[in-house]
Amino acid sequence: MNNLFSIGELAKYQHVSKQTLIFYDKIGLFRPAFVDPSNGYRYYSAKQIDYLDTILIMKKIGFSLEEIRMHMQDYTIDSSLIALRKQLSVLDSRIQELSLIRSRLASRCEQMEDAKSCLRKEIPAGVEKVNARRILLHPVEAPYTLRETSIATKECFAEAFEKQLPVFFQCGVCVPLERIRKGHCTEASFAFLPIEKTEQSENIKELPSGTCASIYHVGDYQSIGRSYRKLLSYCEENALEIVSDSYEFCINDYITSGDEKEYITKILFYVRGAKG
């Protein structure tokens, strides 16, 4: 038809699919200028190309299709300025969020890179200085099996995502020293996520800076007892008094590997030299 474009032609010019244009028609966002009653073919006017440009640009900026539809029912320079400035604020907030996400993701990658050597050779227990850090806690319910630990971990993530808390992409557990000494090394009392400083949750504990005895456990979690026995022996042999429960930080786990043989868990005890 003269001065009209078929849906295929318009799709080609704008680099969109015909299915996209059909969908826009169905939701009332971008309807054809003419529909042939004999065959249902859609045709668009030259003026509508500019209209579609506006839709595609607003979508690229980040507006939802419903926001675009409402805006374009009757838009002026004033209403467009309001909408665009509002979207600027949305983008600024998103950029800040993405920057934080990127830094936490980079931190996780660095930890994994540093710990990969554990997969090639066993790293013995040792002592290290640790900086203060914060963790978001959720209690593990009795009987403290791996099932309850998993549930507590999910509760941590659920709170973090719901409140948009600045957590790192890492999980861990706290295991009481008395349980470890009895051989109940997988009976955690708390699950946790490392987190940056925030006032948005009351379930946050600050771990102080200090001296820690540590060891990397490689393999499935059920076998972590062997690494605890090595760490307890190391502390005894070096006259180190354990003054805290255990803090386990998952370096490589189900989030980053489907092979339990590649799981890496860092175990920490706060310690001090034995009296005398």
Side-chain angles (χ1 to χ4, degrees):
M1 294 186 177
N2 293 334
N3 301 320
L4 291 177
F5 300 93
S6 70
I7 189 171
E9 291 173 324
L10 187 60
K12 178 181 177 181
Y13 296 147
Q14 297 284 26
H15 297 282
V16 297
S17 69
K18 291 191 289 184
Q19 288 74 20
T20 295
L21 295 176
I22 292 171
F23 177 69
Y24 287 175
D25 181 12
K26 288 182 177 179
I27 66 173
L29 176 60
F30 183 64
R31 291 194 166 122
F34 175 73
V35 178
D36 192 328
S38 64
N39 53 29
Y41 288 176
R42 294 170 170 86
Y43 294 93
Y44 300 84
S45 68
K47 183 179 179 180
Q48 286 185 291
I49 295 179
D50 294 338
Y51 193 91
L52 182 57
D53 270 342
T54 304
I55 292 173
L56 298 177
I57 289 170
M58 292 188 72
K59 186 171 181 290
K60 187 70 173 178
I61 290 171
F63 289 97
S64 69
L65 295 181
E66 178 59 19
E67 287 173 331
I68 297 171
R69 189 184 69 80
M70 294 296 295
H71 171 72
M72 296 189 70
Q73 287 180 358
D74 182 22
Y75 63 106
T76 64
I77 186 172
D78 290 330
S79 64
S80 292
L81 270 173
I82 292 171
L84 293 176
R85 290 195 181 281
K86 180 181 178 181
Q87 189 63 15
L88 272 177
S89 297
V90 171
L91 291 174
D92 286 340
S93 177
R94 184 61 177 156
I95 289 169
Q96 183 179 14
E97 179 186 5
L98 287 173
S99 178
L100 291 173
I101 290 174
R102 188 193 183 286
S103 67
R104 295 172 203 140
L105 183 58
S107 175
R108 181 67 187 267
C109 289
E110 289 173 5
Q111 289 179 332
M112 292 171 65
E113 287 286 354
D114 291 341
K116 274 182 66 177
S117 58
C118 299
L119 300 175
R120 297 188 294 270
K121 63 179 181 178
E122 182 177 345
I123 298 178
V127 173
E128 62 181 280
K129 296 289 185 180
V130 299
N131 296 322
R133 68 186 89 183
R134 296 172 181 82
I135 53 177
L136 175 69
L137 292 168
H138 270 272
V140 176
E141 302 293 337
Y144 315 110
T145 68
L146 295 182
R147 176 181 180 275
E148 284 74 37
T149 300
S150 179
I151 291 172
T153 301
K154 303 303 181 288
E155 288 174 341
C156 276
F157 277 117
E159 180 184 356
F161 294 155
E162 180 181 358
K163 297 181 179 179
Q164 296 185 330
L165 301 178
V167 296
F168 291 85
F169 303 132
Q170 183 182 32
C171 58
V173 296
C174 177
V175 184
L177 178 59
E178 61 182 27
R179 294 180 191 171
I180 295 168
R181 292 197 186 280
K182 293 177 181 178
H184 303 159
C185 301
T186 62
E187 295 184 0
S189 56
F190 291 94
F192 66 77
L193 306 178
I195 188 172
E196 294 178 357
K197 186 175 182 180
T198 178
E199 305 297 330
Q200 294 176 265
S201 175
E202 297 177 353
N203 303 321
I204 293 177
K205 177 179 181 178
E206 180 162 348
L207 303 181
S209 59
T211 303
C212 286
S214 66
I215 193 170
Y216 287 98
H217 173 71
V218 178
D220 65 274
Y221 188 66
Q222 288 85 348
S223 64
I224 201 168
R226 71 170 185 266
S227 294
Y228 271 113
R229 290 189 289 273
K230 292 177 182 178
L231 188 55
L232 290 175
S233 296
Y234 173 84
C235 291
E236 183 178 356
E237 293 165 3
N238 290 274
L240 296 171
E241 180 187 5
I242 299 173
V243 294
S244 75
D245 292 331
S246 156
Y247 294 96
E248 299 175 8
F249 292 83
C250 298
I251 306 299
N252 193 46
D253 55 13
Y254 67 93
I255 296 176
T256 49
S257 179
D259 184 355
E260 290 188 359
K261 294 179 181 178
E262 291 188 337
Y263 285 8
I264 302 172
T265 305
K266 186 174 186 179
I267 305 170
L268 295 173
F269 286 121
Y270 284 87
V271 296
R272 60 174 175 242
K275 294 179 180 178

